[in-house]
Amino acid sequence: MTSNRLGELLVRNNLINSQQLTKALEEQKTQGGRLGASLVKLGFIKEDELASFLSRQYGVPSINLNDFEIDAAVTKLITAEVAQKYQIIPINRAGATLIVAMSDPSNIFAIDDIKFMTGYNVEVVVASETAIRNAIDQYFDQSATLAEVMEDLDDIDLEVIDEEEVDVNALEKATEDAPVVKLVNLILTDAIKRKASDIHIEPYEKSFRVRYRIDGVLYEVMKPPMKLKNAITSRIKIMSEMDIAERRLPQDGRIKIKLPGGKDMDYRVNCLPTLFGEKICLRLLDKSNLQLDMTKLGYEESALKWFKEQIHKPFGMVLVTGPTGSGKTVSLYSALAELNKVTENISTAEDPVEFNFAGINQVQMHEEIGLNFASALRAFLRQDPDIIMIGEIRDFETAEIGVKAALTGHLVLSTLHTNDAPSTINRLLNMGIEPFLVASAVNLITAQRLGRRVCSECKEIEDVPKQALIDAGAPPEEVDEYVCYRGKGCPACNNTGYKGRVGIYQVMPMFEEIRELILAGANTAEIKRESMRLGVKTMRQSALTKLKEGATTFEEVLRSTVADD
């Protein structure tokens, strides 16, 4: 079924309206994929509603794949590539008939292909696209491919290059070796399938390992042979357009690959010289999964109201703080997406530019030629700006220009590395900004972390002692309302008990009382106490709210936040 045909049918049946269809078609055009997936992602229709509609429309049964245990002999009838291409999975075989689950039962090309490939008659059932993707990941496991690649690696004999002497020709030749290419490609694609956010390729004295960060936690996935250390590192450096002859200095690069369905995946690559070779870290940047709807980021109602009020002010500074990988960039991008109108001139200084947006002037920093945050910010002020985004305030110069811009009629958004919202005040003061400037310029500070979300497929009630909840910071009068969960572990979450992440936020507007405390030279503890009195939730209180809502576990609350003094 064409996108337009499916859209028209959904509109005709009052499952979506024409404005939603237009928006979903635009999303599909920019992000790729199927219209159904775009409608689900934008929240216009639920997956099970879409599957039920297609089931009724085509007169085929609708099934829940989570209820099926599929025989490996059945899945082997087609390849992983075919399953990915058509988003289908065989679930059963009865005589000369093969039953396959599809998200789009109108795809006759897929049905004909399966008939031709397997020699079976094909009977179709409908399942949701997410369920099919999860089943493909589960049943078309890459371990066999990995085993084959590792076998190939054992057979090849590569010359180990001396650490002191770099033979560039020999390195380039080694990187073109088929098993090396295959292994690097496998690492890059396997990380996408496992929904990793980062890949770490790490050399040690007697070992060489690959780890993925999944939902904020690192997992070791393989240990390639030591003799391939230089070849694998150099292969990635060539793909990301780095200088393979330079092995003494850190380098940055980028890799872009095309995925089935017309989607692109970007990898931000950093190479760091360590004692036993170069460590490579790749950050996966998947624009199709970028959540820019502020209402879906996990802010509590009052916190979101404060945040929106402050970003819609014509001037002042809004700061987002937290450690690396806590979702600061996504929060800033979602704010910019809300502010991105034809009437506004928006400029951003970023290092690096993670995602590109139409209508926003994004500038990539290049320290080596003198283009840093401070110099970009000076240039922005001569560009008639309305809104300025600074990737990170790292020094006095950047902070000073940003504060002055906020005081002269511009809205300035930026990030800082601090532990919580109140400590951001002292960080700015320590940089050398005068207290009266901080009090006047800053509109709001939000601190954030990402906690792991308990797996919805295998979550079960966990008995957490009431005293433990009280010790963690839960109000004694509310303890009876808490129902705590933990993940038992299932194929959907790789037996970790967690799947996805949940935002934990502390949003502190610059109340008049807090401005007065800053001018009076108050310390972080005093500012924190006053903000709590005014209704600001601490990071721990925000995490406990997520626990109360059943989004995360007690273990994760303790891991991702610290107790309040």
Side-chain angles (χ1 to χ4, degrees), residues 417 461 487:
H417 286 282
I461 291 174

Side-chain angles (χ1 to χ4, degrees), residues 489-500:
C490 67
C493 61
N494 285 325
N495 293 312
T496 61
Y498 296 98
K499 190 172 184 190

Side-chain angles (χ1 to χ4, degrees), residues 68 70-71 74 77 89-94 97-101 123:
F68 275 80
I70 304 171
D71 185 356
V74 175
L77 292 170
I89 187 153
I91 58 168
N92 205 352
R93 185 174 51 190
T97 302
L98 182 67
I99 301 163
V100 298
E123 198 174 294

Side-chain angles (χ1 to χ4, degrees), residues 171-360:
L171 266 181
E172 284 181 349
K173 188 172 181 300
T175 64
E176 290 164 14
D177 222 274
V180 174
V181 172
K182 203 185 283 185
L183 181 61
V184 169
N185 290 349
L186 176 63
I187 290 168
L188 297 181
T189 52
D190 190 42
I192 298 169
K193 286 175 187 164
R194 299 199 197 196
K195 294 185 169 52
S197 61
D198 302 83
I199 305 168
H200 293 259
I201 299 170
E202 304 164 312
Y204 298 100
E205 187 177 12
K206 292 179 180 171
S207 65
F208 184 48
R209 71 176 177 184
V210 177
R211 293 191 292 173
Y212 295 160
R213 188 178 293 280
I214 302 169
D215 294 335
V217 177
L218 281 166
Y219 297 92
E220 188 175 297
V221 289
M222 65 176 89
K223 282 194 168 183
M226 278 292 284
K227 63 185 177 183
L228 295 184
K229 182 177 73 175
N230 290 322
I232 290 170
T233 303
S234 299
R235 172 71 187 161
I236 292 170
K237 285 171 76 174
I238 286 171
M239 289 174 78
S240 50
E241 297 182 355
M242 294 181 194
D243 179 1
I244 64 166
E246 180 53 78
R247 303 167 78 196
R248 299 160 302 167
L249 293 171
Q251 294 184 69
D252 289 293
R254 207 168 179 127
I255 299 172
K256 193 168 191 172
I257 64 171
K258 213 164 215 20
L259 300 172
K263 280 201 322 178
D264 291 334
M265 174 65 83
D266 277 14
Y267 299 81
R268 194 176 85 201
V269 189
N270 178 265
C271 151
L272 178 74
T274 68
L275 198 57
F276 300 105
E278 291 171 290
K279 177 185 186 296
I280 304 267
C281 179
L282 301 97
R283 165 69 55 93
L284 281 75
L285 306 172
D286 183 2
K287 193 174 178 183
S288 64
N289 281 337
L290 185 62
Q291 178 57 264
L292 294 179
D293 183 345
M294 295 186 77
T295 59
K296 293 180 182 171
L297 291 177
Y299 284 97
E300 286 153 43
E301 203 174 322
S302 60
L304 182 61
K305 182 171 169 283
W306 284 338
F307 194 28
K308 283 192 167 187
E309 275 173 9
Q310 299 306 327
I311 64 169
H312 283 290
K313 283 192 174 174
F315 55 84
M317 188 177 254
V318 172
L319 297 171
V320 180
T321 79
T324 305
S326 60
K328 298 189 298 295
T329 306
V330 172
S331 292
L332 284 180
Y333 279 162
S334 60
L336 288 177
E338 180 141 326
L339 297 167
N340 186 12
K341 296 180 176 63
V342 75
T343 54
E344 304 292 333
N345 176 20
I346 304 176
S347 296
T348 75
E350 302 174 59
D351 187 18
V353 174
E354 295 198 4
F355 301 99
N356 58 300
F357 295 97
I360 295 177

Side-chain angles (χ1 to χ4, degrees), residues 299 318-324 326-328 331-332 414-425 427-428 444-449 504-506 539:
Y299 284 97
V318 172
L319 297 171
V320 180
T321 79
T324 305
S326 60
K328 298 189 298 295
S331 292
L332 284 180
S414 188
T415 72
L416 267 170
H417 286 282
T418 59
N419 292 327
D420 61 4
S423 62
T424 307
I425 306 290
R427 177 90 176 91
L428 288 170
L444 175 137
I445 303 165
T446 174
Q448 61 186 72
R449 295 278 188 286
I504 298 165
Y505 301 95
Q506 178 186 27
M539 299 293 283

Side-chain angles (χ1 to χ4, degrees), residues 8 22 37 101 103 118 172 200 202 229 272 342 351 360 371 388 414 431 440 448 450 460 515 549 553:
E8 285 163 16
T22 306
S103 58
T118 61
E172 284 181 349
H200 293 259
E202 304 164 312
K229 182 177 73 175
L272 178 74
V342 75
D351 187 18
I360 295 177
L371 178 55
I388 294 168
S414 188
M431 279 183 179
S440 310
Q448 61 186 72
L450 288 176
E460 59 183 16
R515 292 187 202 277
E549 291 168 356
T553 65

